[in-house]
Amino acid sequence: MHTLVLLYMGDETVTASAGTERVLTNMANAFVERGYRTIVVTNDPPTAKPYFPFLPQVELIFLDVWHVKMPVVVKIKREINRVIPIMDRPVESYRAHLSVVKLRERLSDCQIDCIIAYNHEAIQVADLWQKGRVPLIAMMHNSIRVIMGDSNHATLKEKEKANLIQVLMPSYVQEAKQYIHNTPIIYIPNTVTPIPAERRANLGKKKENYTITTVGRIDGLQKQTHILIHSFAKIVTRYPRWKIEIWGEIKKKSYYNELCNYIHEHGLDQNVFFCGTTREIQKKISQADIFAFPSAFEGFPLALTEAMATGLPSVGFRSADAVKDLIIDGRNGILCEDGAPAFAKGLERLMKDQDLRVKLGRQAVEDIKPYAPQIVWDKWQDVVEQQIQSFSHKKGK
């Protein structure tokens, strides 16, 4: 039995309900089901309760270094690095050293066969911990320009210590090669579970009221929740039977309050609703008629792909990383130019044409099938086994 370690470090936490946490849980469970000993290591405190359920066979190690107090010298290095970026993220580096000390204590007698790093601090931990003795696969969970665009030379060199880098969209391979020159880069997408026909959206049904839904944290920078609300405000008087349901965590209270004020000032209190989070999001999506996704960028948007698997036509931006690859304009959804006016036109195009919604939604189901879990986990298992065998041959020599 091979032992696989998934390192999920940095500021992330398994208690969150976001996409990366979901990928982590799904991957750990999938490898356990395929016969691997799977160990998940995070920065969380010992009392952490994962939002998404791990199988009992998954071994969880919470190192409790997330909120560790930074020494003055580390803070000074951080401030220097902001002005003269020559170091590799001093705060993460410090936490990585603490993590390695604890890992060596917890797994001193464990033979590790492969490590998968979920973020940059995880790469630092793996490098310090195993020093190249074990194959390291680094995952890139966002668009390449977001992950690598602001990275300095030291940070990029640290990423190159991985034996293999995985990206989420085919277009990201060449993009990543602009930053990473000495490490192979492969494309493996996230998984999208097929939705049975009886659980998909019934877009042909005549209704008293219709729903536009979106899923994602309430955020002004990436998710751009305000654009959806502003767009809807431009057309709502022509479509009084339509409403918006916004599902997601509130990350910034001031931004949320701004949105609430805008909704009230524009008389949208009976049309726009913040619904919070739910563990039955697919059920909620299936009751909608349009999926709105005004993100500025994504890595591989699970919310969008789940909506497509449920049979909803989507509206997104032509400029948004990943979104522009998944939504094919006029085939399974609508792509718009940037801004609320264009997004409003995209919404209206679907709101006024039920037949178009049905047609695009039906095609969305077909277009998402290549991301089925069996297909994706087969690819991952092949990659992991290739890396293990490659290192075994090197040791034999």
Side-chain angles (χ1 to χ4, degrees), residues 174-210:
Q174 289 304 318
E175 192 176 348
K177 287 180 179 179
Q178 298 176 28
Y179 302 94
I180 302 295
H181 307 294
N182 301 310
T183 303
I185 300 168
I186 62 167
Y187 154 67
I188 306 179
N190 287 334
T191 65
V192 184
T193 302
I195 306 298
E198 66 273 13
R199 291 174 51 204
R200 294 178 201 153
N202 184 1
L203 301 185
K205 181 180 179 181
K206 297 297 182 182
K207 303 179 182 179
E208 283 294 316
N209 296 289
Y210 295 87

Side-chain angles (χ1 to χ4, degrees), residues 37 103-112:
R37 179 187 178 188
L103 264 178
R104 285 172 177 159
E105 293 174 355
R106 297 288 297 273
L107 297 173
S108 59
D109 298 326
C110 182
Q111 172 61 48
I112 308 300

Side-chain angles (χ1 to χ4, degrees), residues 203-336:
L203 301 185
K205 181 180 179 181
K206 297 297 182 182
K207 303 179 182 179
E208 283 294 316
N209 296 289
Y210 295 87
T211 302
I212 299 167
T213 194
T214 190
V215 179
R217 67 181 178 276
I218 314 306
D219 163 61
L221 295 177
Q222 180 186 357
K223 302 300 183 181
Q224 302 187 130
T225 315
H226 60 282
I227 288 184
L228 172 57
I229 298 172
H230 293 179
S231 301
F232 190 67
K234 295 177 181 298
I235 56 178
V236 65
T237 55
R238 296 195 291 275
Y239 302 94
R241 295 167 61 191
W242 284 80
K243 66 176 181 176
I244 290 179
E245 290 185 352
I246 301 171
W247 293 91
E249 294 179 280
I250 299 169
K251 287 295 186 179
K252 192 175 181 181
K253 192 70 174 178
S254 59
Y255 177 69
Y256 169 73
N257 289 336
E258 288 176 13
L259 296 180
C260 290
N261 290 336
Y262 183 93
I263 289 168
H264 183 69
E265 290 170 1
H266 289 76
L268 300 175
D269 300 87
Q270 301 304 311
N271 300 92
V272 180
F273 303 92
F274 291 102
C275 304
T277 61
T278 176
R279 295 182 185 276
E280 297 185 332
I281 194 62
Q282 192 277 322
K283 180 179 179 181
K284 303 299 182 183
I285 291 174
S286 69
Q287 296 167 354
D289 301 276
I290 297 171
F291 190 78
F293 205 63
S295 285
F297 59 88
E298 292 286 339
F300 185 98
L302 295 178
L304 172 61
T305 53
E306 188 162 3
M308 294 174 70
T310 304
L312 286 187
S314 304
V315 180
F317 284 127
R318 198 181 304 277
S319 63
D321 297 323
V323 175
K324 63 185 179 184
D325 298 306
L326 291 163
I327 298 177
I328 303 174
D329 188 37
R331 173 185 166 94
N332 59 30
I334 305 295
L335 286 176
C336 311

Side-chain angles (χ1 to χ4, degrees), residues 47-61:
T47 55
K49 304 282 188 201
Y51 185 87
F52 299 104
F54 290 96
L55 291 176
Q57 301 96 313
V58 176
E59 300 174 41
L60 300 177
I61 297 178

